[in-house]
Amino acid sequence: MKRYSAFAIAREAARYHTGWERAWRSPEPKSHYDVIIIGAGGHGLATAYYLGKNYGITNVAVIEKGWLGGGNTGRNTTIIRSNYLQDPSAAIYEKARSLYETMSQDLNYNVMFSPRGVIMLAQTEHEIRGYQRTAHANALQGVKTEWIGPERVKQLVPIIELSGPRYPVLGGLWQSRGGTARHDAVAWGYARACSNMGMDIIQQCEVTGIDKSDGNVTGIQTTKGAIKCNKLGMVVAGNSGHLADMAGFRLPLESVALQALVSEPIKPCMDVVVMANTVHGYMSQSDKGEMVIGGGTDGFNNYTQRGSFHHLEETVRALIETFPMISRLKMLRHWGGIVDVTGDRSPIIGTTPLGNCYINCGWGTGGFKAIPGSGWAMAEVIATGEPQGLAAEFGLNRFQEGRFIDESVAAGVAH
C-alpha cells in the first residue's frame, strides 16, 4: 500500500491521478480464517485492526451484509467525549478519545479529528450538582474537564440564549479535548489499514447461520458459502440479538432507532459541540456549514433506519428554546440508526456461552465515540480467549458460566 502524503498528491497531480490504488481489496472469501469478525462498522474494523497491530493476528475476515460503514458508523452525529462520572466508563471512553487524537497518523488516513471541545449544559439545579460532581470525578480519573459558568458558556457559544423560558443555562461541563471526527473516514481508514495487513473485507455477504460442534463455534454460513474459523467475533450493534439467536443464546438487549438530522448549510456560527440533556438535544456545526442535530432514542423498539416527523419535532422544538436562530433554518435531511441498549446502559465485551465466540454490543447511543477503545478491548478478548486489560478491569464481560449477569450498576459500570 502506498502511503498518503503531500508528495503523493504532487506526484499524482503530475500524472493526472492515474496511479491511485484502491483503498482496500474486495476479495472472495477463503475457506478458513483464524478469526472472523461479523460487522464491518467502526467497532468491527477497529477490532480487526488491533488484532493485527497488537497481537499479530492477520488471517482475519471482516464480514459485512451491506457496505462498509453503512450502519451506525455512517449514521451518527460524530461526537467524541470521555467526561463520564463512573470510573469504568470514563476509562474506556478516554482510551478511545486518546486513540482518536493520533488516529490519522496511525492509519495514514485523515479522519478529520477536530478537538473543538464539548459543553454539556446544566439547565437545572440538579444538573449543576451532577456536573460539578462529574468534574471532581474526572479530575481523579485524569480526564481533563472543568465546570464553567453561564458567562463562559456564552463566550464559547455566542448564539446561545442563556435565559430560556423553561430551562435557563446555568453553566456547563466543558471538555476542551472532546470534539468530532469524520465518521466515514474512521471506517475507511481502519479498512485500508486492515487490508494492508492482508485481512479480507468481504461486503455484501450476509451471515445466515453459525456452525457449532461440541459447544464451540466452527464457522459460519453466508450468502457466499460456508466459511470455517477458529474464533468468531460478533460486532453488529442493533442486530446483535439476531446473531445471538443463531448462536443459541439470548442477549438482554432492546433495539431502537436513534435519529439525527442536518440543516441547510450556513456560515460558521458555532465551533464547539453543545449537549443539552435536560431537553435531550445536541448540536454542532459541520465543516460544510450544516447544523448537525441529534436527540434521544425512539420510545419503542424498532429496526428502522428512517427518520420520523414526531421525533424531529420533539428534538428541534427543545433546541429552539436554547438556540432561537435555528428556528429559521430548513432541514436538509434526516435519518435513523439501529442502536442496541442494555438495561443498565452499559456495553458488553467478552465471552459467550458458545465456545470461541465473543461479542461486542450494547453501546447504545455512545457507539461512535467508543470505536477505538472498543476495538482495542475486543481484540484483547479475542486474542487471549478471556477478558484482559480494559474489558476485564472495567467489568465489560457480562457472561459467567454461560449465564448473563447484570451487576454492573452495583459495580459502578453504568454510564
Side-chain angles (χ1 to χ4, degrees):
M1 179 181 69
K2 296 178 182 177
R3 285 188 59 81
Y4 292 156
S5 66
F7 298 107
I9 294 173
R11 182 184 65 244
E12 290 305 322
R15 58 186 185 186
Y16 303 101
H17 298 284
T18 58
W20 293 115
E21 301 172 334
R22 287 187 176 272
W24 58 84
R25 299 175 298 108
S26 297
E28 290 299 312
K30 298 187 293 191
S31 61
H32 180 272
Y33 293 93
D34 292 336
V35 178
I36 291 177
I37 305 296
I38 305 176
H43 291 255
L45 291 165
T47 299
Y49 172 74
Y50 292 115
L51 277 172
K53 181 180 180 181
N54 295 347
Y55 300 96
I57 301 172
T58 58
N59 184 22
V60 176
V62 184
I63 307 294
E64 171 57 48
K65 73 174 183 179
W67 66 92
L68 187 150
N72 291 351
T73 299
R75 296 172 180 270
N76 62 84
T77 53
T78 74
I79 298 172
I80 297 168
R81 62 183 181 90
S82 59
N83 52 351
Y84 284 79
L85 173 65
Q86 301 292 351
D87 292 349
S89 296
I92 195 165
Y93 283 110
E94 178 62 13
K95 175 67 173 180
R97 191 205 59 78
S98 65
L99 289 170
Y100 267 119
E101 287 204 325
T102 60
M103 186 179 291
S104 294
Q105 293 77 22
D106 295 340
L107 301 180
N108 184 226
Y109 200 96
N110 184 11
V111 301
M112 301 172 67
F113 175 64
S114 172
R116 62 185 66 186
V118 176
I119 304 175
M120 301 186 72
L121 298 181
Q123 295 179 283
T124 65
E125 294 294 331
H126 174 75
E127 281 190 313
I128 291 176
R129 293 190 293 270
Y131 287 144
Q132 289 177 340
R133 178 190 179 199
T134 300
H136 293 311
N138 291 161
L140 295 174
Q141 297 155 352
V143 177
K144 186 178 179 181
T145 62
E146 61 176 313
W147 167 260
I148 59 176
E151 297 78 12
R152 176 65 170 148
V153 172
K154 184 68 174 180
Q155 182 182 14
L156 290 166
V157 194
I159 66 171
I160 200 168
E161 173 57 58
L162 296 179
S163 55
R166 290 191 301 165
Y167 299 109
V169 176
L170 306 175
L173 183 65
W174 168 240
Q175 184 174 21
S176 60
R177 297 302 296 174
T180 62
R182 170 70 179 177
H183 44 28
D184 294 325
V186 172
W188 297 338
Y190 274 129
R192 181 171 177 266
C194 289
S195 181
N196 188 50
M197 293 182 198
M199 301 178 185
D200 290 349
I201 300 170
I202 305 166
Q203 303 177 73
Q204 304 296 324
C205 180
E206 183 175 358
V207 174
T208 57
I210 295 176
D211 297 331
K212 299 163 281 186
S213 178
D214 298 325
N216 294 308
V217 67
T218 59
I220 59 174
Q221 298 292 326
T222 77
T223 52
K224 293 190 176 183
I227 311 174
K228 299 295 183 182
C229 66
N230 298 336
K231 294 184 176 182
L232 178 66
M234 300 179 179
V235 195
V236 295
N239 290 301
S240 297
H242 290 302
L243 273 184
D245 187 57
M246 292 182 192
F249 59 90
R250 296 188 65 187
L251 290 171
L253 296 171
E254 54 183 11
S255 294
V256 294
L258 178 65
Q259 298 183 38
L261 66 136
V262 294
S263 75
E264 59 187 325
I266 57 176
K267 292 182 178 180
C269 63
M270 191 171 84
D271 59 1
V272 300
V273 179
V274 177
M275 306 183 69
N277 289 338
T278 296
V279 297
H280 215 137
Y282 39 91
M283 187 168 72
S284 63
Q285 189 169 19
S286 74
D287 296 327
K288 295 182 290 185
E290 302 162 339
M291 305 307 294
V292 184
I293 297 171
T297 57
D298 283 2
F300 50 91
N301 296 350
N302 64 89
Y303 287 88
T304 182
Q305 292 181 306
R306 301 187 303 271
S308 61
F309 285 107
H310 76 276
H311 196 91
L312 172 70
E313 181 184 1
E314 292 170 4
T315 302
V316 173
R317 181 178 60 204
L319 284 175
I320 283 174
E321 295 184 13
T322 309
F323 302 97
M325 63 156 284
I326 71 172
S327 65
R328 303 192 298 272
L329 297 179
K330 295 182 174 65
M331 183 186 73
L332 186 63
R333 61 185 183 278
H334 66 135
W335 64 89
I338 309 167
V339 300
D340 48 332
V341 183
T342 60
D344 59 9
R345 299 308 190 261
S346 290
I348 303 168
I349 300 179
T351 58
T352 71
L354 180 61
N356 294 326
C357 178
Y358 310 92
I359 195 158
N360 180 346
C361 63
W363 289 98
T365 62
F368 180 76
K369 70 175 77 74
I371 283 174
S374 162
W376 186 286
M378 185 64 167
E380 290 174 334
V381 173
I382 293 176
T384 63
E386 59 184 17
Q388 302 284 336
L390 281 175
E393 184 177 354
F394 305 117
L396 299 178
N397 186 44
R398 314 280 286 283
F399 282 100
Q400 291 184 2
E401 298 177 352
R403 182 174 62 88
F404 181 81
I405 59 171
D406 192 4
E407 299 172 353
S408 57
V409 173
V413 181
H415 292 183

